[in-house]
């Protein structure tokens, strides 16, 4: 074995060791994994809403969750959140779908937030279907798994009204 081959065979394991031991890479890998876990939790929460599965939806909320619903009073706690969200899970109620767009995780790995959009469709009366859409920010806290600590949503623009076709002449 010549000198160059000997150096090369010693350098390759050293480079591998340094790449694995580099704290910045471990933080990046940890942050990437945490972002993926929070995105998955938010996607699952949205799937529960779309599937009208209230019990499953509530599993994503912290017991002390605080919800800031658009144009409604503040709601504190999972029991109060159940009452607030119940109409969206009733088969005759409005349908709610949402989609996370961004996910960020704090360097500590204990807090994260998601932003996204939502779409609400429903019927207030036979001839007046409603449609609304907006945006949300959800703050997640890691307590065993990721749980929603704060949920903020607001419409943009206000819900549209469709009064259906005009009556026949």
């Amino acid at each position: 074995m010549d000198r160059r081959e000997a150096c090369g065979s010693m350098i390759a394991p050293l480079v591998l060791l340094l790449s694995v031991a580099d704290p910045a890479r471990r933080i990046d890998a940890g942050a990437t994994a945490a972002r993926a876990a929070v995105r998955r939790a938010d996607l699952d929460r949205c799937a529960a809403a779309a599937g009208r599965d209230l019990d499953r939806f509530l599993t994503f909320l912290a017991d002390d969750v605080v919800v800031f619903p658009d144009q409604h009073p503040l709601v504190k706690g999972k029991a109060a959140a159940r009452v607030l969200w119940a109409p969206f899970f009733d088969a005759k109620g409005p349908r709610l779908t949402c989609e996370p767009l961004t996910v960020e995780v704090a360097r500590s790995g204990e807090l994260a937030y998601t932003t996204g959009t939502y779409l609400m469709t429903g019927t207030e009366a036979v001839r007046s279907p409603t449609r609304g859409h907006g945006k949300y920010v959800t703050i997640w806290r890691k307590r065993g798994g990721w749980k929603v600590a704060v949920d903020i949503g607001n419409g943009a623009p206000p819900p549209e009204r469709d009064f259906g076709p005009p009556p026949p002449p």
Side-chain angles (χ1 to χ4, degrees):
M1 178 183 303
D2 73 3
R3 196 171 176 178
R4 253 189 357 220
E5 289 175 343
C7 284
S9 65
M10 290 173 32
I11 290 175
L14 181 60
V15 169
L16 178 63
L17 178 64
L18 290 175
S19 69
V20 172
D22 181 6
R25 289 182 190 248
R26 279 194 309 242
I27 290 171
D28 287 345
T32 299
R35 275 194 301 277
V38 173
R39 178 176 296 282
R40 171 57 37 214
D42 206 15
L43 285 167
D44 289 347
R45 181 181 71 99
C46 289
R52 297 187 189 259
D53 188 342
L54 180 58
D55 291 330
R56 183 168 170 243
F57 180 84
L58 292 171
T59 66
F60 296 100
L61 305 184
D63 291 336
D64 60 347
V65 67
V66 179
V67 182
F68 293 78
D70 190 29
Q71 300 184 29
H72 288 86
L74 180 77
V75 172
K76 293 182 180 181
K78 194 184 279 192
R82 174 186 279 279
V83 173
L84 171 73
W85 290 108
F88 293 96
F89 294 87
D90 183 311
K92 294 180 181 177
R95 179 171 299 278
L96 178 66
T97 58
C98 57
E99 177 185 8
L101 300 175
T102 62
V103 179
E104 292 297 330
V105 178
R107 187 172 289 194
S108 70
E110 297 298 314
L111 289 173
Y113 72 85
T114 56
T115 65
T117 59
Y118 68 84
L119 176 64
M120 177 185 60
T121 55
T123 304
E124 287 181 11
V126 175
R127 289 190 38 140
S128 47
T130 60
R131 180 178 171 94
H133 58 278
K135 55 209 174 291
Y136 69 89
V137 174
T138 304
I139 300 172
W140 297 78
R141 182 174 54 216
K142 192 171 185 182
R143 294 262 170 97
W146 288 99
K147 300 290 183 179
V148 174
V150 179
D151 186 29
I152 305 166
N154 58 15
E160 303 165 6
R161 291 188 63 117
D162 176 4
F163 292 99

